[in-house]
Amino acid sequence: MIWSVMAPVVACAGVGYFWGRSGRPYDIAMVSTLVTTVATPCLIVATLGKTGLSLTALMEMAGLYAAVFIGTALIALAVIRISGRSPRVFLPAMLFGYPD
């Protein structure tokens, strides 16, 4: 049973080890984009597919997420306007955390 949990970790560590030993370049931006746009949504869908949660519970979580997000957006918008900054420029960065 523990091997089913450890096998993906060992496989990923092995790929990383052999990649580092090969001396090939590692494109961090490409890997970050791949993980963000492909791997994370796949993990979320796979995890939610295995849970025993009802549709009602999932909808409740989605509603709570939306409420927290809207509350955060309103607070960020208030801070931006009080500071005299442009919401068009700063609001997306405050909500989604642009790395660059």
Side-chain angles (χ1 to χ4, degrees), residues 22 66 74 80:
S22 72
L74 292 174
I80 291 168

PDB file of all heavy atoms in Angstrom, residues 22 66 74 80:
ATOM      1  N   SER A  22      22.769  14.381 -16.459  1.00  0.00           N
ATOM      2  CA  SER A  22      23.006  14.425 -17.904  1.00  0.00           C
ATOM      3  C   SER A  22      23.580  15.768 -18.357  1.00  0.00           C
ATOM      4  O   SER A  22      24.150  15.852 -19.437  1.00  0.00           O
ATOM      5  CB  SER A  22      21.713  14.138 -18.665  1.00  0.00           C
ATOM      6  OG  SER A  22      20.818  15.231 -18.559  1.00  0.00           O
ATOM      7  N   ALA A  66     -16.077  31.413  -3.988  1.00  0.00           N
ATOM      8  CA  ALA A  66     -16.492  32.624  -4.699  1.00  0.00           C
ATOM      9  C   ALA A  66     -16.686  33.783  -3.735  1.00  0.00           C
ATOM     10  O   ALA A  66     -16.293  34.922  -4.028  1.00  0.00           O
ATOM     11  CB  ALA A  66     -17.774  32.356  -5.483  1.00  0.00           C
ATOM     12  N   LEU A  74     -12.883  42.999  -3.377  1.00  0.00           N
ATOM     13  CA  LEU A  74     -13.403  44.277  -2.886  1.00  0.00           C
ATOM     14  C   LEU A  74     -12.411  44.973  -1.954  1.00  0.00           C
ATOM     15  O   LEU A  74     -12.222  46.199  -2.028  1.00  0.00           O
ATOM     16  CB  LEU A  74     -14.742  44.061  -2.187  1.00  0.00           C
ATOM     17  CG  LEU A  74     -15.888  43.631  -3.100  1.00  0.00           C
ATOM     18  CD1 LEU A  74     -17.129  43.299  -2.274  1.00  0.00           C
ATOM     19  CD2 LEU A  74     -16.187  44.704  -4.130  1.00  0.00           C
ATOM     20  N   ILE A  80      -6.490  49.817  -3.367  1.00  0.00           N
ATOM     21  CA  ILE A  80      -5.940  50.439  -4.577  1.00  0.00           C
ATOM     22  C   ILE A  80      -6.480  51.847  -4.755  1.00  0.00           C
ATOM     23  O   ILE A  80      -5.743  52.783  -5.047  1.00  0.00           O
ATOM     24  CB  ILE A  80      -6.245  49.563  -5.821  1.00  0.00           C
ATOM     25  CG1 ILE A  80      -5.443  48.269  -5.756  1.00  0.00           C
ATOM     26  CG2 ILE A  80      -5.938  50.308  -7.106  1.00  0.00           C
ATOM     27  CD1 ILE A  80      -5.892  47.231  -6.770  1.00  0.00           C
TER      28      ILE A  80
END
